[in-house]
Amino acid sequence: MYDGPVLDNHLHLDPVNGRGVEAAEEFAGAGGTHLNVLNKPSWHLVGEVDGADGFRETFEITVEVTEAADEILPGEAWPVLGVHPALISQLVDRGYDADEAADLMKTGIDVAAEFVAEGPALAIKSGRPHYDVDDAVWDASNEVMRHAFARGAEVGCAVQLHTEGGEDFEEVAQWAEAEGLPREQVVKHYSNGHVEGPIPSVICDKDELERACGGDWPFFMETDFIDDPDRPGAVMGPKTVPRRTTWLAEEGYEAALRRAHVETPARVYGVDTEAALD
């Protein structure tokens, strides 16, 4: 049986509207040890954002709840901070043009990079809309994402991406490399079991997890738990990664689980998930 670390690579804790650290307690109670806590979209935590201060407030809320989660986990919790790509649509609806919206979002990425450089945050979050948008918004969103790659390279951290579905993101990985960020530090959030280009962070669908475990590539496991009281189990509940880990161990995938929970976090983020458990 597998008895090592258990990391949920993408989970939200919302102390403003949701359960906050209580969800982390549920994760730990099910056998989870480590969390990467993503800030919820700024409009859920602080309302409309028009400058760096709004992003900073969003990130400080997330850092605070992550520190509280860190206190109750047997392992560690780390903040992953950035700008949700759907913000561009909200800004355009408010009267910004696409380039103006992108400039504000780049400001948010800059603030996230400060949190990485100064210590509390592990990585940056960026991406592009997962829904249809016009060409101007699409191009501007790609510019924001490339800016995130450049800042990630500058401060030495990975970038988690929220994007459309699919499995071919080779071009995106090439963009990261062009900005100085190794492709192995680009993570595709809400991923299928395999993608071309970035490292997949596999949503805990059993078939996709078995696909990832059956390969030889690095991968993470995630729930994308959104901590919304109106949708208490969405996207997947905080117990899911520990439970799926137990199930995969029973199916004989112990080596793959070590890849997901130990080797890939070390490779992508430079963290030792085993050290905190010793």
Side-chain angles (χ1 to χ4, degrees):
M1 288 294 292
Y2 176 78
D3 61 356
V6 177
L7 167 70
D8 188 333
N9 186 55
H10 191 111
L11 169 145
H12 303 279
L13 298 177
D14 184 346
V16 177
N17 309 291
R19 297 173 60 199
V21 73
E22 290 182 6
E25 292 173 345
E26 185 174 312
F27 169 77
T33 63
H34 294 72
L35 288 173
N36 282 339
V37 180
L38 283 285
N39 63 273
K40 288 186 72 171
S42 52
W43 58 91
H44 287 295
L45 297 179
V46 301
E48 292 183 353
V49 170
D50 291 299
D53 288 346
F55 291 114
R56 186 167 286 108
E57 183 181 0
T58 298
F59 301 156
E60 287 171 348
I61 290 169
T62 304
V63 168
E64 183 176 343
V65 73
T66 305
E67 289 174 345
D70 187 79
E71 291 295 318
I72 59 96
L73 291 176
E76 296 182 67
W78 298 281
V80 176
L81 306 177
V83 181
H84 195 287
L87 178 61
I88 195 167
S89 298
Q90 295 208 8
L91 293 172
V92 168
D93 288 344
R94 288 170 52 196
Y96 287 74
D97 67 32
D99 290 336
E100 291 169 340
D103 286 342
L104 178 57
M105 294 170 73
K106 289 176 183 178
T107 296
I109 296 296
D110 291 342
V111 176
E114 292 174 14
F115 276 72
V116 174
E118 294 169 4
L122 180 67
I124 292 171
K125 165 187 172 179
S126 186
R128 62 192 182 193
H130 61 278
Y131 47 87
D132 290 337
V133 294
D134 64 35
D135 289 346
V137 168
W138 184 253
D139 292 343
S141 297
N142 281 324
E143 283 302 309
V144 174
M145 183 166 58
R146 294 190 67 148
H147 183 74
F149 294 151
R151 294 311 310 271
E154 180 181 333
V155 300
C157 76
V159 177
Q160 277 203 32
L161 296 180
H162 177 117
T163 73
E164 75 281 8
E167 297 189 5
D168 185 1
F169 291 88
E170 175 63 26
E171 182 180 45
V172 171
Q174 291 175 1
W175 290 348
E177 290 173 330
E179 299 295 342
L181 186 70
R183 65 174 56 208
E184 68 179 15
Q185 288 190 290
V186 182
V187 178
K188 169 68 173 76
H189 147 64
Y190 207 101
S191 177
N192 291 345
H194 181 262
V195 295
E196 293 294 334
I199 304 291
S201 184
V202 183
I203 193 70
C204 278
D205 173 86
K206 286 187 173 183
D207 289 342
E208 295 299 335
L209 287 174
E210 287 198 294
R211 183 180 173 200
C213 288
D216 60 0
W217 53 86
F219 72 98
F220 295 101
M221 295 169 61
E222 69 164 73
T223 57
D224 192 24
F225 174 67
I226 63 172
D227 199 6
D228 181 344
D230 294 328
R231 301 169 63 198
V235 170
M236 293 181 169
K239 296 179 182 179
T240 309
V241 166
R243 288 177 170 175
R244 291 288 193 267
T245 296
T246 298
W247 170 72
L248 288 166
E250 292 170 349
E251 296 296 311
Y253 290 115
E254 289 91 345
L257 290 169
R258 181 172 178 82
R259 192 174 357 130
H261 296 309
V262 179
E263 296 168 5
T264 305
R267 179 174 180 172
V268 175
Y269 300 119
V271 299
D272 185 343
T273 55
E274 292 180 305
L277 301 180
D278 291 340

